[in-house]
Amino acid sequence: SVFPCLVMTAAGSTWNKAGTWEEKDISSKLKDKLSEALVGRPMGDGNQVASVASITGDSQILVIRGKPRVGFELVVKVKLSSGETLTVKELDSTDLEGYQAECPNLKAKKEGAAEVVRVLQEVAATFLPEEES
């Protein structure tokens, strides 16, 4: 993992023997990693992410009944290579299909928003312990 000090075991922290609710804030680390992963990504209609204007909201590693998850509520705003802005709102880990996107370019709005969600899922997964085989 890129952030080994943040990864919890499947059961959570050593003090939490029962594996009940536990959470650890990873907002700044997830935002940094997501920003890195988005720059240069294709966003539809020949556009790429030129820069990340902002990522707001919060994210945590949650351990619920011994199972680790990444929870988040985010708004991602990126500048496209065309100069347009794509904003993806209501990115919620409990309903990834319920986001809202805003962009004057309809193709970039649809394809770009879906790509933001896909990249966010990839980045969030890096904060979880690797599956044991």
Side-chain angles (χ1 to χ4, degrees):
S1 171
V2 176
F3 303 105
C5 61
L6 294 177
V7 175
M8 296 181 187
T9 67
S13 297
T14 54
W15 61 265
N16 190 2
K17 300 288 187 211
T20 56
W21 182 276
E22 182 177 343
E23 70 181 72
K24 180 171 181 77
D25 183 42
I26 58 168
S27 298
S28 65
K29 300 233 183 275
L30 185 129
K31 290 173 187 177
D32 290 347
K33 198 168 181 185
L34 181 58
S35 291
E36 268 180 45
L38 283 171
V39 174
R41 288 286 180 130
M43 292 285 136
D45 207 23
N47 278 297
Q48 290 185 324
V49 174
S51 65
V52 175
S54 65
I55 300 175
T56 56
D58 55 52
S59 57
Q60 308 81 25
I61 294 176
L62 306 168
V63 178
I64 305 166
R65 291 189 288 283
K67 182 171 173 54
R69 300 172 175 95
V70 176
F72 51 81
E73 291 181 1
L74 300 171
V75 175
V76 176
K77 184 184 261 188
V78 297
K79 285 283 189 190
L80 303 176
S81 53
S82 63
E84 297 167 310
T85 300
L86 168 66
T87 303
V88 187
K89 300 177 179 180
E90 297 185 34
L91 284 165
D92 187 328
S93 57
T94 62
D95 181 18
L96 280 175
E97 295 177 6
Y99 64 84
Q100 295 181 9
E102 297 174 358
C103 185
N105 180 323
L106 295 181
K107 189 168 183 183
K109 175 182 173 178
K110 181 180 179 183
E111 293 177 21
E115 181 67 5
V116 168
V117 171
R118 192 179 70 72
V119 172
L120 175 56
Q121 288 176 299
E122 288 175 5
V123 168
T126 66
F127 288 89
L128 297 173
E130 292 185 23
E131 297 281 326
E132 294 180 19
S133 36

